[in-house]
Each structure stands twice: as C-alpha cells, then as structure tokens.
Amino acid sequence: MIDLSRDPLEVAPELLGAVLCHDGVALRLTEVEAYRGGDDPASHAFRGVTPRTRVMFGPSAHLYVYLSYGIHLAANIVCGSDGTAGAVLLRAGEVVAGHELARGRRAAGRRPDAPPVPDHLLAKGPGCVGQALGLSLADSGAVVEQSDQAAPAPAHGSFLLLDGRRPVRTASGPRVGVSQAADHPWRFWEAGSPTVSSYSRSRRAAPPQGPL
C-alpha cells in the first residue's frame, strides 16, 4: 500500500499504476501531478485555508474534488501530514473495469449521433477522469481506502485504491496549464501510454527557463 501521509512529490510517482475504484469503474492511473501548499503558487492551497480547500489541510487519504473552468470535475488525493496542504491531481488513467459504464458517463452532453468514446480516451485528462468515475462535488472529503488484495468492488459512493500493474517506463515534466511555477517538473506519467494527455503550457506563464 502507498503511504499517502508523505510529501506529494514522493507520493505522485508511486500512484502510477495504482487502481482507483468507484461506483462500478476501476481506473488504473497513468498520469498525475503533485501540488503542495504554501510553497507552491500553482496550488489552490497557496493562499491558505478556504471552505473549498479545507480538505487539503486535513488528514491524508481523502479526496479533493473541485470544478475546473466551471465545467469539469477534477479529482485529487490529499497527501502529506495533517495540517500541511498537499494533493496529487489525477490527470489520466486506463479504465480496466466498467468500460460501458464509463463510456455512458462520458457520452453525457455529446451529440446523440457522436461515435462511442474509444477506450484510450475514456479517462484522458482530469475532466474525463471525473466523468468516467461519476464524481460530484459532494465527493470532496470522501475517504480513500486502500487494500493490498484484489478486493471486491467498493460499496456505492466509496473510493478504493488498489495495487496495480506498475509502468515499465515513467517520465516527468512540467505541469499542464498552470501560470505559476510552470516549470516545476511535478507531472508524472507512464511513458508511451495512449491514455496520457498532451502537454499544454499556459499562455499566462512566464517563458520557459530551459528545455521542457
């Protein structure tokens, strides 16, 4: 099992390959981003505790869910010691169980004649992760349980993190779309996976300090 009480930078690469299960869908994580608190201006917790970010300052192994761009729900796993903000954003994953359920959730809002979402796009990007897992803002603060066994599907509404197939190769680089601390190489992904999202630098970020 993964010790989520450590620094997000230590936890993030270890989450690659782990499987998060929720409401009939199991998602093997292939891309994550680490965010700290007071020393990370890209973090929602940078300016301190707010009603939205309070969960990030609480004990680890909880979910932090927020609305991105007023449209998409993004999921983070809270890391670090109690009272010190930190979280790992779940950027992308490979659906390993519940494909049709995830596909139905991803179809919401699309044209009726749109083709079915292919497997490798079901959870490609934070918003797609949220859709595939069927998240809501009410899930923020939910406990993330862990098991070192191939446990049965979790109860309705709960979240279960399981050991999974570790990536053969991993890579790291700058986080996607952040305008502050844009060059921190705190994004980690499974090299070569078609589920990993593309890198996009924020237009508001300062020019890069070196090769990305």
Side-chain angles (χ1 to χ4, degrees):
M1 292 190 286
I2 301 170
D3 181 3
L4 299 174
S5 68
R6 294 170 298 149
D7 188 290
L9 282 176
E10 298 178 37
V11 174
E14 292 189 15
L15 283 172
L16 295 177
V19 177
L20 182 63
C21 307
H22 176 64
D23 279 0
V25 171
L27 186 67
R28 178 178 171 271
L29 301 175
T30 59
E31 183 185 9
V32 297
E33 285 179 341
Y35 287 87
R36 284 174 162 167
D39 62 349
D40 181 4
S43 171
H44 290 174
F46 180 64
R47 290 180 173 83
V49 180
T50 67
R52 181 176 75 161
T53 65
R54 187 177 304 278
V55 64
M56 293 181 69
F57 290 85
S60 61
H62 287 72
L63 211 65
Y64 167 49
V65 180
Y66 67 90
L67 194 62
S68 176
Y69 299 107
I71 303 173
H72 305 295
L73 290 168
N76 302 252
I77 294 179
V78 175
C79 304
S81 58
D82 193 359
T84 302
V88 175
L89 172 66
L90 311 182
R91 280 206 58 86
E94 171 194 1
V95 175
V96 294
H99 291 79
E100 292 311 310
L101 184 54
R103 209 180 321 275
R105 291 168 177 167
R106 289 278 286 108
R110 305 180 80 219
R111 300 191 320 272
D113 60 344
V117 179
D119 285 359
H120 72 284
L121 297 181
L122 286 174
K124 187 172 185 173
C128 297
V129 168
Q131 273 192 306
L133 290 174
L135 297 182
S136 73
L137 285 175
D139 291 317
S140 195
V143 174
V144 179
E145 300 178 350
Q146 289 197 73
S147 174
D148 56 3
Q149 301 178 355
H156 177 74
S158 63
F159 294 85
L160 181 63
L161 188 66
L162 303 173
D163 292 336
R165 175 174 50 85
R166 297 291 300 169
V168 175
R169 293 185 300 116
T170 63
S172 64
R175 295 173 291 188
V176 175
V178 297
S179 58
Q180 301 293 322
D183 294 317
H184 288 9
W186 292 359
R187 179 169 66 105
F188 304 88
W189 65 91
E190 180 176 12
S193 172
T195 64
V196 173
S197 59
S198 302
Y199 174 73
S200 176
R201 188 178 182 85
S202 170
R203 294 180 180 178
R204 295 179 296 165
Q209 301 301 306
L212 300 181

